[in-house]
């Protein structure tokens, strides 16, 4: 069957349209199918291997030749494209949708500018960019040090005072005061953990 593009919403390409046309001829020749289904819609559903449609047709009399022709069409298209037919059809549909959107949806330059675009336009300005960056870094530094200051004093007070004294007292009670064990706990573990905790707010 020669390829002739019809006025349809989606053009699936020469090979697919030829197979659709072949199946349409068989459908149109069957009065029961013609009365129940749109021939093009049914042909496409068969090429997509729609399980529900195939099950319905298998229950109908004189639909065997249509199903056989559909299987041949599917095999032919797989050989031509090297892919599943439903994937080919879906790609064509999405391509048509994208083209339709490009042709019908028009946005002004103002609409295309998001809030992020407007902010970028200011902070990446050739003149204002560097001063803004320096100012932001200063704000971050001040915020970090001002928030961390009281916390640092509290951590230093707890670790250097009550906690250390409590550990030294416990070790003294069990006869380990002044030993390497005390040094391990006080100068190693407690001091090390305290040094890490200092950086938590940063």
């Amino acid at each position: 069957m020669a390829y002739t593009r019809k006025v349809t919403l989606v053009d699936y390409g020469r090979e697919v349209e030829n197979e659709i046309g072949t199946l349409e001829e068989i459908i149109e020749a069957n009065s029961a199918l013609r009365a129940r289904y749109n021939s093009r819609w049914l042909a496409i559903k068969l090429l997509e291997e729609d399980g529900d449609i195939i099950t319905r047709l298998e229950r109908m009399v004189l639909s065997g030749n249509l199903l056989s022709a559909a299987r041949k069409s599917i095999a032919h298209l797989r050989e031509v494209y090297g892919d599943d037919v439903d994937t080919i059809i879906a790609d064509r549909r999405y391509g048509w949708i994208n083209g339709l959107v490009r042709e019908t949806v028009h946005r002004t330059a103002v609409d295309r500018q998001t809030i992020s675009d407007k902010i970028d336009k200011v902070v990446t300005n050739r003149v204002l960019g560097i001063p803004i960056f320096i100012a932001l870094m200063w704000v971050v530094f001040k915020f970090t040090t001002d928030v961390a200051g009281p916390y640092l004093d509290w951590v230093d007070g707890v670790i250097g005072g009550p906690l250390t004294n409590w550990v030294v007292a416990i070790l003294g009670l069990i006869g380990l005061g002044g030993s390497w064990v005390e040094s391990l706990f006080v100068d190693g573990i407690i001091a090390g953990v305290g040094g890490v905790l200092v950086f938590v707010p940063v």
Side-chain angles (χ1 to χ4, degrees):
M1 178 181 176
Y3 171 74
T4 303
R5 180 172 180 177
K6 299 179 180 179
V7 181
T8 55
L9 288 177
V10 183
D11 180 9
Y12 294 104
R14 180 182 300 275
E15 293 292 338
V16 177
E17 289 291 346
N18 279 341
E19 299 304 326
I20 290 174
T22 299
L23 296 179
E24 280 188 279
E25 290 180 355
I26 300 174
I27 295 167
E28 290 294 332
N30 187 317
S31 58
L33 291 175
R34 187 174 66 248
R36 191 167 184 178
Y37 300 104
N38 175 277
S39 59
R40 181 175 176 82
W41 178 85
L42 181 57
I44 293 172
K45 283 296 181 181
L46 287 172
L47 291 178
E48 291 178 316
E49 297 182 272
D50 187 292
D52 181 55
I53 292 297
I54 292 173
T55 301
R56 292 183 186 183
L57 292 181
E58 287 174 343
R59 296 172 183 168
M60 296 181 66
V61 181
L62 302 177
S63 62
N65 60 334
L66 174 60
L67 293 174
S68 177
R71 285 191 289 269
K72 290 180 182 178
S73 294
I74 291 169
H76 170 70
L77 292 174
R78 281 178 178 166
E79 183 179 351
V80 171
Y81 290 101
D83 203 351
D84 291 333
V85 182
D86 57 340
T87 302
I88 299 165
I89 291 175
D91 287 343
R92 285 283 184 167
R93 283 175 180 160
Y94 287 129
W96 177 83
I97 292 170
N98 289 333
L100 181 63
V101 170
R102 284 196 299 269
E103 291 178 5
T104 57
V105 178
H106 300 283
R107 295 181 179 178
T108 63
V110 176
D111 292 335
R112 290 174 185 162
Q113 279 196 346
T114 63
I115 295 176
S116 177
D117 294 332
K118 294 176 181 178
I119 294 174
D120 289 343
K121 197 171 183 179
V122 175
V123 298
T124 60
N125 183 276
R126 184 176 299 179
V127 177
L128 300 176
I130 294 177
I132 290 174
F133 174 76
I134 294 173
L136 287 175
M137 290 299 98
W138 181 83
V139 169
V140 171
F141 172 77
K142 287 295 293 180
F143 177 78
T144 302
T145 53
D146 290 348
V147 170
Y151 177 79
L152 293 176
D153 295 338
W154 180 81
V155 170
D156 184 59
V158 171
I159 292 178
L163 182 60
T164 299
N165 295 336
W166 180 74
V167 171
V168 170
I170 294 295
L171 292 175
L173 289 175
I174 60 177
L176 295 175
S179 67
W180 65 270
V181 177
E182 179 181 307
S183 178
L184 172 65
F185 275 92
V186 175
D187 300 326
I189 297 174
I190 296 176
V193 172
V196 173
L197 290 176
V198 165
F199 292 97
V200 170
V202 180

